[in-house]
Amino acid sequence: MSGVDEHARRDREFVAWSGKRATLEGLRPSLRTARVPDGFPVSFARWRDRRAATVEGIANRSSHMQLAVRSDRAGEDSASVSSAGRYRTCLDVDGSDRRRIAAAVDAVFASYAPARAADEVFIQRQITPVRDAIVASTHALPDGAAYRVLSIAAGPRSDEVTRGAADVDTWYLARDSTRPDSLPAHWRPYLRTLLEVEHIVGTQPCEVEMVADQDGDVWLLQVRPLIVRTQVEPALIALRQATEAGLRARSQASPLLGMMPDWNPAELLGEHPRPLARDLFDALITRRAWRIGRSALGHADVGDVGLLQIHAGRPYVDVRTSLRSLLPASVAAAIGERMVDAYCRRLRAYPVLHDKIEFEIAFTAAHPGIEDRIESRYPGVLDARERSAFAHALRAPTRAALDGPRVQRLRGGFLRDLHSPVPRAHPARLRHALARLELRSAVRFATAARMAFAVEALLRTAVDEGALDATRLTGFKQSALVDPALPWLRAEGDMQLTRNAALGHIRAGTFDLAVPARREILAHAFASASSLLPAGSAALAPTAQESAYLQRMLEPLDIAMSPVELLVHYRRLLQLRELGKFALARGVSLLLDALQAHAASLDIGREDAGWLPLRDLLDADMPAAVLQTRIVGARQQHQLESRLRMPLLLDRFALDSIHYAPGQANYLGNGLHGGPPIRVDAHTHPDSVPLHAIIVIASADPGFDWIFLRRPAALVTAFGGPNSHMAIRCAESGVPALLGVGPERFRRLADAPRITINFDARTCIIG
């Protein structure tokens, strides 16, 4: 390996996992690709007995530099125990400021609670200014999978990655094929340093913290052991290769697949759902219902093609198919394909937009100035005549989205869905119930959701043009469900049944059989439903300027609708979409109950049944013994798949290097909120979650609405965009939310002892 010689190999015995300073000093003589900043220890015994003299000595030694005062407690890092992040580190300590030196040392010793005589702090020269901060590891966390991992954030702080505040690029490099050329050129030195450290320390998995200064020189700040189980993984390599082959078989050109565009399966299913949940989602939504709902509104009919692809157990949306389905039906094929090609190029160039394709990639609604916006976003793709034709073609789906009678018909259908019968637990009856749910509730919901997206796009354009105030629009959305006409929130007379039907059957994990329904875990759900709502606000009355713009927006559509009526229609669509979510969630839950009963008749428990594909569970001729064997196989396959790292946006065949680009997190709300994060998942009981906590959850579907009964101070998610279900519910309930931080940053925030979110400054840090 480049940069490592026999001298480094001979010095392995100097690395003893006995603390930050000792480890770095053991590494220092062997390093060729990085340097170690100078530093020295201060023991607690010396600090306690000779405090003033010790401060004076530090200042005399370090008056010309900035200092990092790090923890180095006895036994903090060893080959069997790692306390990463447990103790305090103080940065930016002026080496000539005796008061600040004393305060920093006190703070670090205080974090030991209590300090012992042999404990130390490590006074280290702080490298400044910093170009990049890097945390790298020899194996993936938390499972020890066979990847080398680099998380890289631009400066100026050396703790940009560990404090969780910065946008971070993370690369997973398969250990069997790690190549420096997998990384951009200026990041390759960091990989070389990781490889060198790994070579020196031997087989012990470890994590390396380093920085690059403004000259590009690499400085090693910390090396600590990772307490993870590792193994040689030929099965993982074989799975990766098989997944690559499957991608090539499905795509003639480079694939473009995402877990978060269009229906956002990462939010509704999670990154790696079990087989039954995945199959139900596909059967109900992404096989037919999604395109039936769109074509009914005047969008392009893409034919008998599904939206979802499964690779290594992950649910991916076919982005090109999705974008084609958002074209207007009447547009010329050549124009449509050029626009789809341009959409795909933009998404590849700006992968951060993968959860915002309806607003930041595609044009889905006609509005004033759209031709100029098309040319600005996609210069030269269409000529003036073609842009005019495309804009004109968008009028039909836009008019359909503004169709008031259609809203009433959909609303009536959802109300009927809320009273649909419980399916019988027999394969033939279950297949019938599945088709009924797909072609009624799911198609209605797909239609309502697309209508709401279209009107949302219109109003966002008004905001972008400065014709509509964003804050006032947000307030209007918050008031959307504070409406006594919304049936699933009423508690009067016959409507009590409707509300109970909607709320009682939903699950935190809508499609997962193993998750209990709300009625099973939250007895007071119905009595407390009204507590989910804010006090309400007045309807948005547009100003003269807003009315003028909205009127210009409506005139070319040839619709008898005033600006006020447009906003009322938008309110009704928001309500309709929420009603549709709960109608569909109830139907899915009842179907899952029946599937559970059918599985029980085969002596298969609820949790086990979730590991079966839908077709197997509904196969009346399938012997129970075969099903049991397939359950075992599915568990093992899922466990193996979980060790394979897969990107959120998949745009290439090779999977030996996986890049998680920085996510564009969505800050919704105001204020400063700090505290320990409380992690929630589908199996969390509501009573275990404290009131007014900062709740962190990877993704959340309608079944997690019980969260708002706990009156959270704030909500943080890994997945979910500004128009996701949780974004809407947080806006309605007045709960500030940080949505879509991405899986890597989410892991660091969720595992932190405390986080602080400043929604006004748009920052979130650990501590």
Side-chain angles (χ1 to χ4, degrees), residues 531-670:
S531 69
L532 304 183
L533 298 174
S537 59
L540 178 61
T543 65
Q545 178 186 356
E546 291 167 345
S547 291
Y549 182 88
L550 296 177
Q551 190 63 52
R552 281 200 304 119
M553 179 180 286
L554 292 166
E555 282 173 359
L557 300 174
D558 193 23
I559 288 180
M561 179 179 283
S562 70
V564 171
E565 289 169 333
L566 171 63
L567 296 175
V568 170
H569 180 76
Y570 177 55
R571 175 196 292 268
R572 288 174 179 163
L573 279 176
L574 293 177
Q575 295 171 344
L576 179 72
R577 182 171 58 185
E578 297 307 292
L579 175 59
K581 284 178 186 176
F582 285 93
L584 180 60
R586 174 186 181 270
V588 173
S589 187
L590 291 178
L591 184 66
L592 287 171
D593 287 343
L595 286 168
Q596 179 184 341
H598 172 59
S601 72
L602 302 172
D603 292 326
I604 297 173
R606 169 193 274 182
E607 205 280 335
D608 283 346
W611 292 104
L612 288 171
L614 182 61
R615 66 177 181 276
D616 286 357
L617 192 54
L618 294 182
D619 186 347
D621 298 324
M622 183 75 69
V626 174
L627 293 177
Q628 292 288 358
T629 299
R630 293 189 175 181
I631 289 168
V632 173
R635 287 179 184 274
Q636 294 171 344
Q637 180 68 15
H638 193 273
Q639 185 175 18
L640 175 62
E641 290 170 348
S642 70
R643 298 177 71 80
L644 183 68
R645 296 309 193 256
M646 297 288 286
L648 296 178
L649 188 70
L650 201 163
D651 63 353
R652 53 197 291 268
F653 294 122
L655 298 174
D656 55 348
S657 64
I658 300 299
H659 180 211
Y660 284 96
Q664 186 176 2
N666 303 281
Y667 287 83
L668 308 177
N670 304 101

Side-chain angles (χ1 to χ4, degrees), residues 371-619:
E371 296 172 43
D372 291 338
R373 290 172 73 92
I374 291 172
E375 178 62 15
S376 175
R377 186 179 293 178
Y378 302 111
V381 171
L382 303 180
D383 62 28
R385 180 187 58 80
E386 291 167 331
R387 291 195 300 272
S388 177
F390 187 83
H392 187 272
L394 277 175
R395 293 183 182 183
T398 308
R399 282 195 296 266
L402 296 172
D403 183 357
R406 191 189 299 267
V407 170
Q408 293 304 312
R409 292 194 299 272
L410 290 170
R411 179 176 176 274
F414 287 140
L415 290 178
R416 291 191 297 274
D417 293 339
L418 288 172
H419 294 272
S420 59
V422 177
R424 290 176 55 189
H426 182 275
R429 293 291 187 179
L430 284 167
R431 282 192 289 270
H432 175 76
L434 182 67
R436 178 188 176 97
L437 186 60
E438 176 198 14
L439 296 175
R440 295 190 180 188
S441 298
V443 167
R444 289 187 186 111
F445 178 61
T447 306
R450 172 88 320 256
M451 293 174 72
F453 268 113
V455 180
E456 176 85 12
L458 288 176
L459 296 178
R460 286 194 185 196
T461 300
V463 170
D464 292 343
E465 295 292 329
L468 186 64
D469 182 74
T471 303
R472 278 162 42 76
L473 181 61
T474 299
F476 179 69
K477 291 173 69 172
Q478 288 176 341
S479 71
L481 289 186
V482 189
D483 186 334
L486 192 65
W488 57 271
L489 288 176
R490 291 187 63 181
E492 303 172 7
D494 292 341
M495 288 299 101
Q496 181 66 36
L497 173 63
T498 300
R499 186 181 66 172
N500 286 2
L503 294 177
H505 288 283
I506 59 176
R507 301 165 188 256
T510 298
F511 298 91
D512 195 332
L513 181 59
V515 178
R518 184 172 178 172
R519 67 182 185 279
E520 300 175 61
I521 62 171
L522 199 60
H524 59 284
F526 310 137
S528 304
S530 62
S531 69
L532 304 183
L533 298 174
S537 59
L540 178 61
T543 65
Q545 178 186 356
E546 291 167 345
S547 291
Y549 182 88
L550 296 177
Q551 190 63 52
R552 281 200 304 119
M553 179 180 286
L554 292 166
E555 282 173 359
L557 300 174
D558 193 23
I559 288 180
M561 179 179 283
S562 70
V564 171
E565 289 169 333
L566 171 63
L567 296 175
V568 170
H569 180 76
Y570 177 55
R571 175 196 292 268
R572 288 174 179 163
L573 279 176
L574 293 177
Q575 295 171 344
L576 179 72
R577 182 171 58 185
E578 297 307 292
L579 175 59
K581 284 178 186 176
F582 285 93
L584 180 60
R586 174 186 181 270
V588 173
S589 187
L590 291 178
L591 184 66
L592 287 171
D593 287 343
L595 286 168
Q596 179 184 341
H598 172 59
S601 72
L602 302 172
D603 292 326
I604 297 173
R606 169 193 274 182
E607 205 280 335
D608 283 346
W611 292 104
L612 288 171
L614 182 61
R615 66 177 181 276
D616 286 357
L617 192 54
L618 294 182
D619 186 347

Side-chain angles (χ1 to χ4, degrees), residues 30-308:
S30 305
L31 288 172
R32 300 293 179 268
T33 64
R35 290 185 281 175
V36 176
D38 292 335
F40 53 89
V42 173
S43 71
F44 182 66
R46 177 179 176 83
W47 184 252
R48 180 190 58 201
D49 298 337
R50 303 183 60 192
R51 175 190 175 93
T54 303
V55 170
E56 192 65 26
I58 295 171
N60 290 337
R61 186 172 181 174
S62 311
S63 61
H64 60 289
M65 66 182 68
Q66 293 288 102
L67 300 177
V69 182
R70 304 185 183 277
S71 64
D72 199 9
R73 193 177 196 190
E76 179 178 340
D77 292 321
S78 69
S80 59
V81 176
S82 176
S83 301
R86 181 176 178 182
Y87 305 122
R88 184 83 179 268
T89 291
C90 295
L91 300 178
D92 303 318
V93 178
D94 185 344
S96 63
D97 188 331
R98 290 157 176 77
R99 185 172 299 177
R100 288 198 62 191
I101 292 171
V105 175
D106 280 340
V108 175
F109 276 133
S111 70
Y112 296 172
R116 299 163 299 200
D119 290 338
E120 295 180 347
V121 298
F122 181 26
I123 312 294
Q124 190 181 45
R125 174 196 164 197
Q126 182 173 324
I127 304 302
T128 184
V130 168
R131 187 184 75 182
D132 291 323
I134 308 98
V135 174
S137 60
T138 60
H139 294 75
L141 293 173
D143 56 359
Y147 290 88
R148 296 181 176 94
V149 186
L150 290 94
S151 293
I152 306 163
R157 295 174 58 100
S158 62
D159 62 347
E160 290 286 8
V161 176
T162 56
R163 70 198 293 256
D167 287 333
V168 175
D169 280 276
T170 296
W171 291 82
Y172 285 85
L173 307 174
R175 289 183 58 83
D176 63 288
S177 59
T178 299
R179 305 184 315 276
D181 62 6
S182 299
L183 297 173
H186 72 281
W187 289 345
R188 293 171 192 169
Y190 315 149
L191 175 59
R192 294 190 183 100
T193 297
L194 174 66
L195 292 172
E196 182 178 35
V197 170
E198 180 180 353
H199 183 87
I200 296 169
V201 303
T203 59
Q204 171 66 49
C206 64
E207 184 175 74
V208 176
E209 186 175 341
M210 50 186 145
V211 297
D213 61 24
Q214 292 298 308
D215 295 325
D217 293 332
V218 180
W219 295 82
L220 199 63
L221 304 184
Q222 295 187 55
V223 180
R224 63 174 69 90
L226 289 177
I227 314 305
V228 294
R229 182 180 179 182
T230 63
Q231 55 186 304
V232 178
E233 299 190 280
L236 185 65
I237 297 171
L239 174 63
R240 189 181 76 231
Q241 294 170 345
T243 304
E244 291 170 343
L247 286 166
R248 290 188 176 92
R250 295 286 298 262
S251 304
Q252 292 182 344
S254 296
L256 188 58
L257 308 171
M259 292 190 207
M260 296 180 69
D262 201 354
W263 288 97
N264 201 339
E267 181 182 27
L268 294 176
L269 293 173
E271 277 188 277
H272 192 193
R274 301 193 305 159
L276 182 59
R278 186 185 68 210
D279 286 358
L280 273 176
F281 179 75
D282 188 33
L284 289 172
I285 303 295
T286 54
R287 190 171 301 169
R288 291 186 297 183
W290 70 283
R291 56 182 171 82
I292 293 173
R294 290 180 187 181
S295 60
L297 294 171
H299 288 282
D301 186 347
V302 296
D304 187 14
V305 58
L307 186 64
L308 204 65

